[in-house]
Amino acid sequence: MSTHAAEAARRRTFAIISHPDAGKTTLTEKLLLFGGAIRQAGSVKSRKSAKHATSDWMTLEKERGISVTSSVMQFPYDGRIVNLLDTPGHADFSEDTYRVLTAVDSALMVIDCAKGVEERTIKLMEVCRLRDTPIMTFINKLDREGKYPIELLDEVERVLDIPCAPITWPIGMGSRLKGVVHLLTGEVHLFEPGKNLTRQDSTIYASLDDPALAQRVGAEVLNEVSEELVLVQGASHPFDRELYLAGLQTPVFFGSAVNNFGVQLLLDFFVEHAPPPKPRDASARVISPDESAFSGFVFKIQANMDPLHRDRVAFLRVCSGSYEPGGKAYHVRTGKEMRIGDALTFMASERGLAEYAYPGDVIGIHNHGTIAIADTFTAGEPLQFTGIPSFAPELFRRVRLRDPLRLKQLHKGLTQLSEEGATQFFRPLLANDLILGAIGTLQFEVVAYRLKDEYGVEATFEPAQVVTARWVKAEDGGALEEFREKAAIHLAIDATGALVYLAPTRVNLQMVQERWPKLRFEATREHA
Ligand code: G4P
């Protein structure tokens, strides 16, 4: 096996999906601790102080302040390289999350044992299902009273429609939590609050029948769990790796992230069974991670990540070959060679900054406005990775500038923020004003705030008479020209220069579509 194929095989690239407050941040931190990527608890947590900010967009603002490195956290564990891709928290930014999920090979679902399956988890699960993403489940906060474990499995199976294969099982819960039993090895790991429960630092019994265990936790609770396990084994499914990899079964773990409990059992199982990078569809053909020629796609763009450097970073997931410092790559959309030599890599510990990147890894390319979400980079072949979702804006506002002399800055700000994909901005052909489209109302607040903070522009947003946007395409150049003239009053140019029809009403759109059968009116500027 070539070096890069061997490197690809040991990559585990995943994201955590959960409802806010289930424990994603806490679990992330514990995983990094086990990976040796951070030395002490609190390093990740500190950004959660953002949660106590007064509004949601301020949360976003604080999150943006965190360093580039927390977008992708890479750490070695047990001979593997784990890449944990962060997903943004707020519901209004879910399209960002969707795109991150196109860049992972598997997901980890965190569920609060008291709350069970919550609304956002259901949505994220639907996204994972579109790509048959394999999912492991961690049921968290076992140190608190919650629903019965059997009930929780039942809820996951019913609500999320995925069979469960419990791998660990709790012994007691809340104040009576004694430990977990590993259903595949039979080992019992004791819950000892306050202890940093790594394998060396935890009490492990060979099985539930170990007399020393009965002495330690009492026979009664063990009898209870044995009875429960008879039920569980009858009602649930044995772990089947093929089914898991096909997204048709989820292995389930129980624990308490904040107590470090049950986390290492999860991580050990994860690195062993979670999938390495898979072949990916690039329209003309499927690309295998074993191929030596470099390829990858951009799934996220972020402007001004570091307020001091004002940089814009395009996050690229490597799909084949390898990235080396000093390298160049072919930017398929523009047809140009681009230097990507000074890309950022994401080893989470200070020691050993990864210089090379292999399939499954993510690199951050400095972007000067030429890179867009869903762009493909290759070693020269004109391929296009497919399946990166694009979202049509549903809300439109006219941008009002306080100081007309700042128009240039306004353009720059709107263009750069639109590259991130959450908003889109349109310049009407016949008017001087600007229209901003977004998916959620919160976006307008965010844009106003960021324009002021990052570009020194004060702008407000007013209602605009636009209900929806359609990207206008045609094979017939003549028809397009004619349309451009006749419908100019409703036409605009987007940030990439594409022609867009801004429909004042649904009825108007329907009429226009009927009147111009040679034109195509597309709901999104297709990413793929
Ligand atoms: P999130 O990223 O999914 O939103 O959740 P986060 O990790 O921030 O956890 C949400 C809250 O749940 C935090 O409390 C966290 O300490 C707590 N938590 C996480 N894991 C466990 C667990 O295993 N048991 C218990 N009992 N609590 C847990 P908080 O009060 O919001 O924040 P903090 O002040 O404790 O940091």
Side-chain angles (χ1 to χ4, degrees), residues 47-66 90 93 442-447 449-450 453-454:
R47 52 187 263 233
K48 282 308 280 243
S49 56
K51 235 164 63 179
H52 306 293
T54 50
S55 79
D56 284 325
W57 56 266
M58 268 181 78
T59 310
L60 174 97
E61 166 59 16
K62 292 253 170 73
E63 273 181 7
R64 205 169 45 79
I66 59 174
H90 195 279
F93 300 89
L442 185 62
Q443 301 285 4
F444 295 109
E445 261 179 83
V446 172
V447 169
Y449 181 83
R450 292 185 60 184
D453 188 47
E454 294 163 30

Side-chain angles (χ1 to χ4, degrees), residues 450-462:
R450 292 185 60 184
L451 279 175
K452 185 156 182 252
D453 188 47
E454 294 163 30
Y455 300 91
V457 178
E458 284 199 57
T460 53
F461 294 96
E462 295 172 356

Side-chain angles (χ1 to χ4, degrees), residues 444-497:
F444 295 109
E445 261 179 83
V446 172
V447 169
Y449 181 83
R450 292 185 60 184
L451 279 175
K452 185 156 182 252
D453 188 47
E454 294 163 30
Y455 300 91
V457 178
E458 284 199 57
T460 53
F461 294 96
E462 295 172 356
Q465 184 54 39
V466 178
V467 293
T468 186
R470 289 291 183 273
W471 276 258
V472 190
K473 310 254 171 72
E475 265 73 59
D476 180 346
L480 194 61
E481 262 322 297
E482 196 188 339
F483 183 63
R484 222 181 146 104
E485 256 171 49
K486 295 246 163 80
I489 190 164
H490 295 304
L491 286 171
I493 300 294
D494 77 1
T496 66

Side-chain angles (χ1 to χ4, degrees), residues 18-27 45 48 51-52 140-144 255-259:
S18 65
H19 193 84
D21 266 348
K24 183 179 84 168
T25 313
T26 312
L27 184 62
K45 222 35 204 175
K48 282 308 280 243
K51 235 164 63 179
H52 306 293
N140 190 27
K141 307 196 186 183
L142 260 280
D143 58 319
R144 287 202 191 149
S256 166
V258 80
N259 288 296

Side-chain angles (χ1 to χ4, degrees), residues 136-155:
M136 285 194 191
T137 301
F138 184 73
I139 298 188
N140 190 27
K141 307 196 186 183
L142 260 280
D143 58 319
R144 287 202 191 149
E145 300 302 331
K147 301 183 182 186
Y148 287 117
I150 289 191
E151 225 180 277
L152 286 161
L153 291 195
D154 185 52
E155 197 174 315

Side-chain angles (χ1 to χ4, degrees), residues 354-503:
E355 294 215 311
Y356 293 83
Y358 298 97
D361 290 343
V362 172
I363 55 174
I365 305 175
H366 296 285
N367 177 22
H368 306 289
T370 36
I371 306 175
I373 287 171
D375 279 359
T376 297
F377 283 83
T378 67
E381 205 179 341
L383 299 166
Q384 172 66 50
F385 285 102
T386 61
I388 299 117
S390 161
F391 298 85
E394 286 166 8
L395 300 162
F396 297 84
R397 299 273 190 279
R398 194 175 302 281
V399 188
R400 278 269 171 267
L401 188 59
R402 287 257 163 83
D403 175 0
L405 294 177
R406 304 289 294 163
L407 187 64
K408 219 173 135 197
Q409 280 304 102
L410 176 71
H411 271 250
K412 183 176 167 194
L414 289 177
T415 306
Q416 295 192 358
L417 296 179
S418 291
E419 279 167 12
E420 293 181 10
T423 55
Q424 299 193 5
F425 111 87
F426 307 99
R427 281 170 296 164
L429 291 186
L430 294 186
N432 270 332
D433 49 1
L434 301 167
I435 307 276
L436 193 71
I439 294 135
T441 46
L442 185 62
Q443 301 285 4
F444 295 109
E445 261 179 83
V446 172
V447 169
Y449 181 83
R450 292 185 60 184
L451 279 175
K452 185 156 182 252
D453 188 47
E454 294 163 30
Y455 300 91
V457 178
E458 284 199 57
T460 53
F461 294 96
E462 295 172 356
Q465 184 54 39
V466 178
V467 293
T468 186
R470 289 291 183 273
W471 276 258
V472 190
K473 310 254 171 72
E475 265 73 59
D476 180 346
L480 194 61
E481 262 322 297
E482 196 188 339
F483 183 63
R484 222 181 146 104
E485 256 171 49
K486 295 246 163 80
I489 190 164
H490 295 304
L491 286 171
I493 300 294
D494 77 1
T496 66
L499 190 68
V500 184
Y501 186 76
L502 300 177

